[in-house]
Amino acid sequence: MAKSKPPVQKNQRVELTFEDLTHEGDGVGKIDGYPLFVPYGLPGEKATVKVIKVKKNFGFGKLLDLHEKSPERVEPPCNVFFQCGGCQIQHMSYDMQLEMKQKQVKAAMRKIGHLEHVPVHPVKGMKDPWRYRNKVQMPVGERNGRLVAGFYQKRSHNIIDMDTCVVQDESNDRMVEAVRRIAERYGTRAYDEENNRGVLRHIMVRTGQNTKDVMVVLVTRTEKLPNQDEIIDEIRDAYPSVKSIVQNVNPKRTNVILGNDTKVLYGEEYIYDTIGDITFAISPKSFYQVNPTQTKTLYDQALEYAALTGKEQVIDAYCGIGTISLFLAQNAKKVYGVEVVPEAVADAKANAKLNHIDNAEFYVGQAEKVMPWWKSQGLDPDVIVVDPPRKGCDEQLLQSMMEMEPERIVYVSCNPSTLARDLRTLEDGGYETKEVQPVDMFPQTSHVECVSWLEKK
């Protein structure tokens, strides 16, 4: 039997009605049952689309002309939104963004986890879903003899020169622009990744949302930063609020932003910020959530699901710099955190000390190996909290969690697909998923975080 050919060809123009959205926020329309994925299309809209890629079971298109617009379509406030790869869904009303994310989580629960019975609540959004990011790291390049700083264009390493980013803290915006201007005045050369030459690779700025502390990190290819003293003096004169200026040296040909060597050029190695009642010391390399407002929402939800009374022993797997652990420690008898990154564990211990919390212990190691050892030493946790990277939990870790038999598991996730997969494993191993609460940590992007509550059957 002959294989059926796709009903469209590359470069063909078609009339399309969008019916749905992908989990990345692209519009989905069908030609004779054949799906076309088209960036910036919204459900209910009619459009002329150019077919740009044809695969066996689906294709990709480019939006040429809109004939009927959705009432949920809004004008993106960012003037480089359609070129920049940072945000994906600024063209949607915020209500639609939250609805899309709830549907994304529900679909993952149903299709991947076969967990139709699990309630997925409406997404907890922000009152003001702009200017929320407390950290910016912008690559630096050269164009027509000028230094440019901006995010990369979608699927490329072309830098979009921009003077503002509407999801960044405004002071970060101003700092990046000031540093770019000052570096240019002193003839600092941008890093040229093709030839591995030049000096300034990235400008990173971190801001304490509640303390207003500011840290500037100059990522250079070379140990020497020409005109270092003059550059520092000018940054300090322009922004006296800067608490820390740091140079990070990264001589390697790599896409990784930070190198191994960091030296303080002015001020402290840390800035401070607070989430709730807890103060955190943040270094250039610290993993610290970029949206502290929603981090508080996320952790409050995790605390609610943990339902601590002050008598519980709690394990925090993937504890990072101790952010969730220290929240839990306020209501638990004892918290044991484990994390594979030694610097993060050192930060976690320092943060516990900073907050006079003495019922939290932190260990370096892989959670899936440390937890069986803890069990052999007689540690019997009442609650396990887990917040893994995007790839989800290691199978061995899920096994270790189930063998420890805590009454309750709280699973924090930044990827609905791997969350649904892991919840399925835990359900098959004797746990029941009670509910899932999505939280919008990254408005204007297609990402969504979730907190899930599981009880032992």
Side-chain angles (χ1 to χ4, degrees):
M1 188 175 151
K3 282 185 183 173
S4 61
K5 276 175 63 180
V8 293
Q9 292 175 322
K10 192 177 172 182
N11 296 328
Q12 185 181 345
R13 291 179 176 222
V14 294
E15 300 302 308
L16 206 59
T17 300
F18 296 113
E19 301 165 20
D20 204 351
L21 293 166
T22 68
H23 67 273
E24 287 173 349
D26 293 345
V28 183
K30 289 180 180 170
I31 303 280
D32 298 337
Y34 177 86
L36 278 176
F37 303 131
V38 184
Y40 317 119
L42 297 181
E45 293 186 329
K46 290 185 163 65
T48 302
V49 168
K50 181 181 181 181
V51 180
I52 53 172
K53 201 175 201 178
V54 177
K55 295 196 162 197
K56 190 177 148 198
N57 297 319
F58 56 88
F60 296 90
K62 182 182 177 184
L63 192 60
L64 295 180
D65 199 12
L66 270 178
H67 311 305
E68 280 183 33
K69 287 187 182 180
S70 163
E72 300 301 326
R73 179 174 287 278
V74 295
E75 194 59 43
C78 171
N79 59 4
V80 294
F81 167 64
F82 293 105
Q83 291 89 50
C84 176
C87 298
Q88 298 84 42
I89 54 175
Q90 278 188 28
H91 61 297
M92 283 181 207
S93 72
Y94 192 49
D95 283 348
M96 185 179 215
Q97 292 185 24
L98 297 180
E99 192 184 316
M100 169 192 131
K101 292 179 185 191
Q102 184 189 18
K103 278 185 180 166
Q104 182 186 333
V105 179
K106 280 183 169 174
M109 291 299 136
R110 189 177 69 249
K111 291 177 186 168
I112 298 167
H114 308 294
L115 298 165
E116 289 84 351
H117 65 282
V118 175
V120 175
H121 297 300
V123 181
K124 288 189 173 179
M126 295 187 78
K127 282 196 184 79
D128 178 11
W130 303 99
R131 297 284 180 194
Y132 59 84
R133 287 186 68 96
N134 60 7
K135 175 176 122 179
V136 60
Q137 39 199 26
M138 283 197 175
V140 179
E142 285 183 25
R143 198 165 294 147
N144 304 326
R146 283 187 60 239
L147 283 189
V148 294
F151 294 117
Y152 289 126
Q153 194 168 348
K154 284 175 193 168
R155 291 180 284 283
S156 85
H157 267 212
N158 298 333
I159 294 171
I160 307 255
D161 190 14
M162 53 172 73
D163 41 13
T164 187
C165 170
V166 293
V167 295
Q168 294 294 344
D169 184 296
E170 278 180 85
S171 61
N172 288 1
D173 253 3
R174 290 195 300 271
M175 281 303 315
V176 169
E177 179 50 29
V179 172
R180 184 201 64 74
R181 203 173 55 241
I182 292 162
E184 184 174 87
R185 193 177 307 140
Y186 284 98
T188 309
R189 299 303 303 266
Y191 175 60
D192 168 1
E193 63 180 357
E194 268 182 54
N195 302 302
N196 199 33
R197 287 204 297 254
V199 177
L200 190 58
R201 298 176 72 125
H202 277 78
I203 300 167
M204 182 201 282
V205 182
R206 305 191 82 150
T207 303
Q209 189 188 57
N210 297 313
T211 59
K212 302 302 173 201
D213 286 0
V214 177
M215 171 186 281
V216 175
V217 183
L218 305 170
V219 184
T220 61
R221 181 186 68 86
T222 52
E223 288 272 343
K224 190 171 172 356
L225 174 62
N227 304 300
Q228 177 183 303
D229 294 346
E230 292 86 346
I231 289 171
I232 290 167
D233 288 346
E234 285 220 26
I235 293 172
R236 288 178 59 198
D237 287 347
Y239 288 96
S241 61
V242 172
K243 290 275 198 311
S244 169
I245 302 175
V246 175
Q247 181 188 0
N248 175 272
V249 182
N250 184 359
K252 295 180 181 169
R253 286 190 161 207
T254 173
N255 284 341
V256 176
I257 293 173
L258 294 177
N260 294 329
D261 298 331
T262 301
K263 48 188 176 183
V264 178
L265 304 181
Y266 162 75
E268 304 292 319
E269 190 187 344
Y270 294 93
I271 58 168
Y272 296 91
D273 198 15
T274 58
I275 301 177
D277 299 330
I278 311 267
T279 301
F280 294 98
I282 305 158
S283 70
K285 290 186 171 181
S286 291
F287 174 79
Y288 183 70
Q289 295 281 14
V290 298
N291 184 343
T293 304
Q294 289 297 83
T295 300
K296 171 99 171 51
T297 304
L298 188 78
Y299 291 176
D300 283 347
Q301 189 62 59
L303 266 178
E304 187 186 310
Y305 284 165
L308 301 175
T309 63
K311 297 174 186 168
E312 293 83 5
Q313 305 219 65
V314 182
I315 288 177
D316 177 11
Y318 303 104
C319 68
I321 65 166
T323 33
I324 294 185
S325 303
L326 300 182
F327 264 72
L328 296 164
Q330 296 175 103
N331 296 61
K333 183 180 177 184
K334 186 78 182 263
V335 177
Y336 298 85
V338 57
E339 167 64 55
V340 79
V341 182
E343 295 92 339
V345 172
D347 281 350
K349 289 176 177 175
N351 285 324
K353 204 170 177 184
L354 185 64
N355 290 280
H356 310 292
I357 289 172
D358 53 14
N359 61 332
E361 287 180 17
F362 298 99
Y363 298 83
V364 178
Q366 293 174 301
E368 57 270 22
K369 291 182 178 161
V370 173
M371 280 164 60
W373 181 78
W374 277 342
K375 185 171 171 61
S376 74
Q377 301 301 299
L379 173 55
D380 240 353
D382 303 286
V383 180
I384 293 179
V385 178
V386 63
D387 182 4
R390 286 192 68 74
K391 64 182 171 49
C393 288
D394 184 282
E395 219 166 300
Q396 204 183 330
L397 174 61
L398 293 171
Q399 208 50 48
S400 300
M401 284 161 66
M402 292 184 289
E403 281 169 13
M404 288 188 112
E405 299 189 324
E407 281 304 309
R408 192 172 297 113
I409 294 173
V410 179
Y411 191 139
V412 181
S413 164
C414 58
N415 183 339
S417 301
T418 55
L419 171 66
R421 179 200 70 200
D422 291 351
L423 292 181
R424 178 72 266 159
T425 302
L426 292 167
E427 287 254 343
D428 294 341
Y431 283 84
E432 184 187 355
T433 310
K434 293 290 190 183
E435 54 187 74
V436 177
Q437 176 61 66
V439 175
D440 192 23
M441 290 284 278
F442 308 104
Q444 317 312 324
T445 79
S446 54
H447 300 295
V448 60
E449 297 256 339
C450 294
V451 192
S452 307
W453 161 30
L454 299 97
E455 292 273 344
K456 193 154 177 27
K457 286 178 188 167

